[in-house]
Amino acid sequence: MEYKNATGRIYDIQGYAVHDGPGIRTTVFTKGCPLSCLWCHSPESQGFGFELGWLPLKCLGMDLCVEACRKACTRGAISRGEPTKRMGTEEMVEKAELDRTKCDGCLKCTEVCFTKALYSAGWDTTVDEVYDRLMKDVPFFENGGGVTVSGGEAMSQFEFTLNLLKRLKDSGIHICLDTTGFAPAEKFLEILPYVDLFLYDVKHMDSRRHKALTGVPNELILDNARLLAKNGAKIQVRYPVIPKLNDSRENMEATADFCVSLGEALTLVQLLPYHKSGRSKYDRLGRPYRLTNVEPPPESFMEKALELFTARGLPAQIH
Ligand code: SF4
Ligand code: SF4
């Protein structure tokens, strides 16, 4: 099959993924998303540009390297911190300190920081590079695994995603596309032959609420799911359950009814209880976490939510 060695921007490739579709998978995370969900647990996935990540725990604070990153920063955003004991030792170190108010995101400091305490969230790559990396994991894909392309929104880098999927399909790899559904309908029809299973987010059935929570309305998303279903796609719906934001009975019933309307295309509904695991990633990027007052839903609530879906004959599970 002909393909183009297109360029793409990604922020991670994770092997041995067991939550991104059937079996053991390797997941490619593309950078950039047209949505900005309040509960997003991958803030590095949202922006299309590179961003400076800062992991103070990884900073060695050695004399030579703290001078290297300090000098690399022409804006004076990096300084030597107060002397502190290196964790678990008596050795005194002066770790780097980052002042984000002075940082313009030039990323020069990341070129000298060998511990990756200062790092670039995201890098540019090509279809061939990613393909070669993924093929190393083929032995893990036995028993129904494969590759998942996720994001961000992989459909926002359509040329890269389409051509990567073409290459993988040619090699007989099972492919999942994890999508927000927010992309032009014709692009979904074009990519459909190369996708074995869509992992498809349904976040709120009321368009105005959807826009308030994610930044975009939901009509295109729901229409694309219907279009894919009509054209032979297999769809696993993913419904993130976020207390007080989209967990009303009314919204759950509407979501369940929508899943029923997808007919045989629907393979599974996954209810994803809100969790806080992404919070520390916001710190790394120097961004505020917006859902500070939300707690994960209790197990009993999730069980009741599950019943609402299974009572309609839907294959559903809490994930
Ligand atoms: S940020 Fe990196 S280069 Fe700078 S002192 Fe820490 S480990 Fe060394
Ligand atoms: S990204 Fe550029 S401006 Fe920001 S701390 Fe690093 S070198 Fe300085």
Side-chain angles (χ1 to χ4, degrees):
M1 191 184 308
E2 280 201 13
Y3 78 97
K4 187 175 163 195
N5 187 22
T7 301
R9 184 164 292 178
I10 65 176
Y11 71 91
D12 204 1
I13 296 178
Q14 279 179 12
Y16 220 80
V18 291
H19 298 296
D20 297 332
I24 295 172
R25 315 190 69 82
T26 298
T27 304
V28 180
F29 294 90
T30 62
K31 190 150 166 51
C33 184
L35 278 65
S36 52
C37 305
L38 289 175
W39 55 86
C40 180
H41 58 264
S42 304
E44 69 275 42
S45 74
Q46 292 182 325
F48 287 91
F50 299 125
E51 288 162 273
L52 177 67
W54 170 226
L55 270 168
L57 262 180
K58 278 193 169 184
C59 176
L60 292 179
M62 292 188 317
D63 226 22
L64 262 182
C65 73
V66 78
E67 276 310 296
C69 63
R70 200 179 63 78
K71 280 190 185 142
C73 180
T74 52
R75 295 184 60 91
I78 298 175
S79 58
R80 287 174 94 114
E82 291 297 315
T84 49
K85 279 186 189 165
R86 188 187 300 289
M87 209 196 287
T89 73
E90 292 302 309
E91 186 191 354
M92 298 303 283
V93 291
E94 290 174 17
K95 291 194 175 205
E97 274 185 3
L98 174 65
D99 180 353
R100 282 196 182 266
T101 61
K102 294 182 181 163
C103 172
D104 67 357
C106 73
L107 299 177
K108 283 188 194 126
C109 55
T110 65
E111 291 165 17
V112 299
C113 181
F114 66 95
T115 68
K116 305 262 182 249
L118 292 157
Y119 65 96
S120 167
W123 70 92
D124 284 337
T125 184
T126 62
V127 167
D128 283 352
E129 266 176 18
V130 175
Y131 175 83
D132 290 345
R133 161 65 189 85
L134 293 171
M135 293 313 279
K136 290 183 184 152
D137 289 357
V138 165
F140 297 109
F141 300 161
E142 285 172 15
N143 304 322
V147 168
T148 298
V149 181
S150 181
E153 174 49 66
M155 294 291 285
S156 295
Q157 297 189 47
F158 186 70
E159 209 188 16
F160 171 73
T161 302
L162 176 69
N163 284 287
L164 177 62
L165 265 50
K166 280 183 179 177
R167 267 211 90 177
L168 292 167
K169 195 81 188 154
D170 237 5
S171 303
I173 306 289
H174 182 275
I175 298 167
C176 289
L177 181 64
D178 183 7
T179 180
T180 64
F182 195 79
E186 61 274 15
K187 301 279 187 213
F188 274 109
L189 289 179
E190 198 178 339
I191 211 162
L192 171 59
Y194 311 104
V195 179
D196 295 295
L197 179 65
F198 286 88
L199 309 179
Y200 206 99
D201 297 351
V202 176
K203 291 162 175 163
H204 207 296
M205 291 303 292
D206 179 273
S207 193
R208 275 177 40 197
R209 283 296 292 150
H210 194 281
K211 185 155 192 230
L213 299 173
T214 71
V216 303
N218 70 6
E219 287 85 357
L220 179 66
I221 294 167
L222 301 181
D223 285 350
N224 280 337
R226 292 185 194 104
L227 181 75
L228 286 169
K230 214 168 76 187
N231 283 277
K234 290 292 169 209
I235 301 175
Q236 186 171 304
V237 165
R238 301 182 125 188
Y239 167 34
V241 179
I242 320 294
K244 297 197 183 85
L245 299 186
N246 71 350
D247 67 341
S248 68
R249 187 162 182 98
E250 186 191 6
N251 185 51
M252 277 198 206
E253 286 185 345
T255 305
D257 289 342
F258 176 74
C259 292
V260 170
S261 79
L262 296 177
E264 289 184 1
L266 185 96
T267 61
L268 184 65
V269 184
Q270 283 190 324
L271 307 184
L272 313 172
Y274 166 74
H275 59 83
K276 301 175 173 182
S277 71
R279 280 189 185 198
S280 61
K281 296 184 190 168
Y282 283 80
D283 294 338
R284 285 182 217 168
L285 297 173
R287 289 210 228 141
Y289 185 74
R290 294 180 286 176
L291 287 194
T292 44
N293 294 325
V294 177
E295 294 298 320
E299 225 170 273
S300 55
F301 181 89
M302 291 304 299
E303 291 296 338
K304 279 199 185 128
L306 182 67
E307 271 171 39
L308 200 143
F309 284 80
T310 53
R312 284 166 167 77
L314 290 164
Q317 61 176 218
I318 300 166
H319 199 57

